[in-house]
Amino acid sequence: MKRTARQNARLSVAEIKSRLQKEAFAIYEEDRKTCRAMGRFGAQLIKNNSRIMTVCNAGALATVDYGTALGVMYSAKEKGKKFKVYSCETRPLLQERD
């Protein structure tokens, strides 16, 4: 976003906003596709009646869609797999930010 703003600094404020919005949607879509792909690949590793422990569940609080670890579980559930999940921590909610 900083790069997009810098590259378009000579344009009008309205045009800069438009370019930033376009970039934000592109980032959103890339993240959504990445999370869905991780979910599909990871779901192949989950067997019926598995027990799964996650330390950082990294769902929609960390990403724009399914999330990373949770995406795997969502995808497995969509495929009809049955499993239990144990979450030991609630990040990124309590995680420090730079």
Side-chain angles (χ1 to χ4, degrees), residues 1-25:
M1 298 300 288
K2 286 180 182 179
R3 183 182 65 234
T4 298
R6 275 192 226 112
Q7 288 174 346
N8 296 285
R10 294 181 186 204
L11 300 176
S12 69
V13 171
E15 187 58 34
I16 293 170
K17 285 175 154 182
S18 176
R19 303 266 174 113
L20 288 170
Q21 183 180 38
K22 183 177 178 184
E23 181 66 16
F25 283 123

Side-chain angles (χ1 to χ4, degrees), residues 1-97:
M1 298 300 288
K2 286 180 182 179
R3 183 182 65 234
T4 298
R6 275 192 226 112
Q7 288 174 346
N8 296 285
R10 294 181 186 204
L11 300 176
S12 69
V13 171
E15 187 58 34
I16 293 170
K17 285 175 154 182
S18 176
R19 303 266 174 113
L20 288 170
Q21 183 180 38
K22 183 177 178 184
E23 181 66 16
F25 283 123
I27 292 167
Y28 172 95
E29 188 59 25
E30 179 182 6
D31 191 55
R32 188 190 69 75
K33 286 179 180 178
T34 300
C35 289
R36 293 287 175 140
M38 272 197 260
R40 283 191 306 275
F41 293 127
Q44 297 172 23
L45 302 173
I46 297 177
K47 296 177 178 65
N48 269 322
N49 302 313
S50 291
R51 289 177 294 207
I52 302 164
M53 181 178 73
T54 177
V55 175
C56 180
N57 61 30
L61 291 173
T63 66
V64 299
D65 191 47
Y66 263 20
T68 51
L70 282 180
V72 172
M73 294 172 226
Y74 290 144
S75 293
K77 192 73 170 169
E78 286 175 356
K79 293 177 189 251
K81 296 181 180 184
K82 297 188 185 309
F83 52 92
K84 291 185 180 184
V85 178
Y86 301 92
S87 179
C88 299
E89 193 173 30
T90 60
R91 287 188 199 191
L93 182 62
L94 303 175
Q95 192 168 341
E96 286 186 38
R97 297 187 183 249

